[in-house]
Amino acid sequence: MILAMQPPSLRIETAQLGECERLFLWCVRSWVHAAFRRTSSEDLRLALLAHRLESAVADIDGLMRQIAAHASGTVDIRIRRATELSGDEIRLLRALRAGFLGLPELGDALLAPLVQQPGRAAAMQRLWTLAESFRSAGLDACDWPQPEGRADRTGDERRGRRSAPGNDVA
C-alpha cells in the first residue's frame, strides 16, 4: 500500500478541522490530560453526552489505553488548548477518517508507526466503532484541512459570494 502524507512543514490548526475532527481531537487530548493528572475524565463524558455520544466514552478510553499500552515510541498528543496539531494527532484523525470511509488497510497503515500489534488491531476496532457512533450522532468526517478554518463554507462564500441555489457543495 502506498501511503502519502502531508509534508512535515505543513501546519494544520484546530480551526481548519470540521466539528467531528475537533471533537475527536479534544477527546484524545482530554483523555491524555486526565491520565497524566490522574483525575476524573468527567468533562470528557459530559462533552460526549452533550453530542449524544455517551457510548463513545468507553471507545475513546479503550482506544487510548491501546495506544498507551502498545505505543511504538513516544506519541505526541498536545495539550487541549494547543492550536497546532502534532503529526501523531494528524495520523489519528486520518485513521478515524479511514474508519468513516470503511478503509481498514489505510487505517492500519496510518496507525502502524504509532501502535504495535496486537494493540493496533484493537485500536482500529475502537476507531471503527467511534466512526459509527459519530455518524449516528450526525457528525461526519470531512475533508481537511479546510482553508481559513471554515469547514462549513465554500470558497465562494469565504470570498463574499453565495453559491447559486442547487449548486451547494455537500
Side-chain angles (χ1 to χ4, degrees):
M1 169 180 284
I2 297 174
L3 180 64
M5 291 294 288
Q6 72 283 341
S9 61
L10 179 68
R11 292 182 50 195
I12 297 178
E13 296 189 359
T14 54
Q16 295 174 275
L17 303 176
E19 181 181 7
C20 176
E21 290 82 4
R22 282 192 310 269
L23 177 61
F24 176 75
L25 181 63
W26 184 86
C27 288
V28 167
R29 288 175 172 182
S30 293
W31 188 94
V32 170
H33 175 81
F36 274 102
R37 300 257 191 267
R38 297 180 192 255
T39 61
S40 166
S41 57
E42 183 65 11
D43 54 346
L44 175 62
R45 190 187 72 74
L46 292 173
L48 289 170
L49 181 62
H51 282 86
R52 301 181 321 269
L53 288 164
E54 190 171 5
S55 64
V57 175
D59 291 314
I60 290 286
D61 185 61
L63 167 68
M64 296 308 295
R65 285 179 184 273
Q66 290 301 320
I67 292 171
H70 301 281
S72 299
T74 301
V75 179
D76 184 4
I77 304 296
R78 305 280 166 92
I79 63 170
R80 288 187 286 191
R81 293 183 311 272
T83 57
E84 189 174 326
L85 278 69
S86 72
D88 293 341
E89 291 171 332
I90 292 168
R91 281 187 173 280
L92 285 172
L93 285 168
R94 292 195 188 281
L96 177 68
R97 179 150 172 80
F100 274 98
L101 297 173
L103 300 171
E105 296 86 9
L106 176 59
D108 188 70
L110 286 161
L111 286 184
L114 302 178
V115 186
Q116 299 173 349
Q117 289 294 10
R120 188 166 63 243
M124 285 304 305
Q125 184 58 47
R126 295 294 187 158
L127 276 172
W128 257 235
T129 305
L130 280 167
E132 191 54 43
S133 295
F134 278 45
R135 182 177 285 125
S136 295
L139 297 169
D140 207 350
C142 65
D143 290 325
W144 54 270
Q146 297 292 326
E148 300 176 33
R150 297 303 305 264
D152 58 339
R153 295 172 27 184
T154 66
D156 286 340
E157 290 170 356
R158 282 190 295 278
R159 289 186 285 280
R161 297 186 301 261
R162 298 286 301 163
S163 298
N167 291 335
D168 294 339
V169 177

